[in-house]
Amino acid sequence: MLRHGRLNRVTIVEDHALFAEALELALSLQGLEVRRVDTEAEGLTQNRLLTEVLRSQPGVVLLDLQLGPGLSAVPLIRPLSQVGVAVVVVTGSVDRSGWGESLFNGARTVLPKSTPLSTILATIRLIGEGRRVLTREDRERLVDDFHRHRIEEEDRRARLATLTTREREILAELMDGRHVREIAQAYVVSEATVRTQVKSILSKLGVSSQLAAVGLALRGSRDTTPARREG
């Protein structure tokens, strides 16, 4: 339940200026007190962004998940929720595991950007009335998707971590679309040597083809992405 007097106070955190301006205007015309946080400010960090949001003392925050390079909105959800702010994610992302992560961290619901304004307004009103805005079944299903994705990601990272430095370099070459002959020439080794290394990569990753190995690596997290050979 929102604190008394805060229901009409809505803060928008969105890096798509046109969408944010349209949403701000539409909500303002409905009598809501709307503030938009500048996500393009120079040197903006997640901590500064959180401070700016809290400074507006919102009852509801409409939060986009994708705020541009190097700035994720997900870490904002839990601290906002913990101080009684109702976070409604409004996003263009169709990643169900990302939706589930938002809900797991305390978001009340997740709405696509294609959601009609009337639905957004209804969501804000239901929150103010202390009513559920997402069925328990849908919430549990999305959170399960998030947990499943996290387990799969941890498994991919563990498999990638078993590769030697040279195997990671070879995998990076495969990711760049190079053939065994090209890789052998670049490393001044025989094609047989490269094929042996590729075979070891496939075995350690538990896949049966170079294409599958590349796919697994591309789905891996940043810190496990195979490093490119220098020089």
Side-chain angles (χ1 to χ4, degrees):
M1 191 76 172
L2 297 175
R3 294 176 186 172
H4 180 69
R6 289 175 57 190
L7 173 59
N8 287 335
R9 214 174 284 160
V10 179
T11 296
I12 299 172
V13 183
E14 163 66 59
D15 69 335
H16 192 292
L18 184 60
F19 180 82
E21 289 172 5
L23 189 57
E24 180 182 18
L25 176 60
L27 295 178
S28 297
L29 290 174
Q30 296 297 317
L32 297 174
E33 182 184 334
V34 186
R35 180 172 181 267
R36 199 155 48 90
V37 174
D38 181 12
T39 61
E40 300 296 326
E42 185 177 353
L44 186 65
T45 63
Q46 286 171 339
N47 285 340
R48 277 189 56 193
L49 182 56
L50 177 62
T51 298
E52 287 300 312
V53 173
L54 290 174
R55 186 171 290 151
S56 65
Q57 297 185 324
V60 178
V61 168
L62 302 182
L63 180 69
D64 187 10
L65 291 181
Q66 301 168 326
L67 298 177
L71 194 61
S72 171
V74 174
L76 304 180
I77 299 175
R78 188 173 295 277
L80 287 173
S81 300
Q82 288 175 338
V83 295
V85 177
V87 178
V88 175
V89 171
V90 183
T91 180
S93 171
V94 295
D95 177 19
R96 288 178 59 86
S97 65
W99 290 21
E101 183 178 13
S102 299
L103 297 172
F104 176 74
N105 280 288
R108 298 293 186 90
T109 189
V110 179
L111 302 174
K113 284 189 176 179
S114 57
T115 300
L117 174 62
S118 59
T119 301
I120 296 177
L121 287 168
T123 299
I124 295 173
R125 183 170 60 253
L126 288 171
I127 289 173
E129 295 171 355
R131 296 167 62 187
R132 187 183 298 275
V133 292
L134 184 68
T135 67
R136 180 171 297 160
E137 292 76 13
D138 285 343
R139 175 178 290 273
E140 290 177 351
R141 190 178 301 114
L142 287 167
V143 171
D144 284 345
D145 285 343
F146 161 60
H147 287 310
R148 190 179 306 110
H149 174 80
R150 185 167 62 177
I151 291 171
E152 292 172 352
E153 179 64 19
E154 289 173 352
D155 177 63
R156 281 194 294 269
R157 292 174 60 185
R159 283 188 276 171
L160 287 167
T162 64
L163 301 182
T164 65
T165 299
R166 178 49 57 89
E167 287 169 346
R168 289 166 64 86
E169 293 175 348
I170 296 299
L171 180 54
E173 299 287 351
L174 295 175
M175 292 168 67
D176 283 338
R178 294 188 175 86
H179 298 292
V180 168
R181 177 175 297 179
E182 296 174 295
I183 298 172
Q185 292 173 346
Y187 285 83
V188 196
V189 296
S190 69
E191 291 185 32
T193 296
V194 176
R195 292 188 189 281
T196 297
Q197 291 168 330
V198 170
K199 184 177 180 180
S200 176
I201 291 170
L202 300 185
S203 176
K204 289 181 178 180
L205 297 185
V207 297
S208 58
S209 69
Q210 294 179 25
L211 184 61
V214 168
L216 185 147
L218 289 173
R219 292 195 302 273
S221 57
R222 289 181 181 178
D223 60 332
T224 56
T225 299
R228 265 62 178 174
R229 170 175 169 266
E230 297 182 357

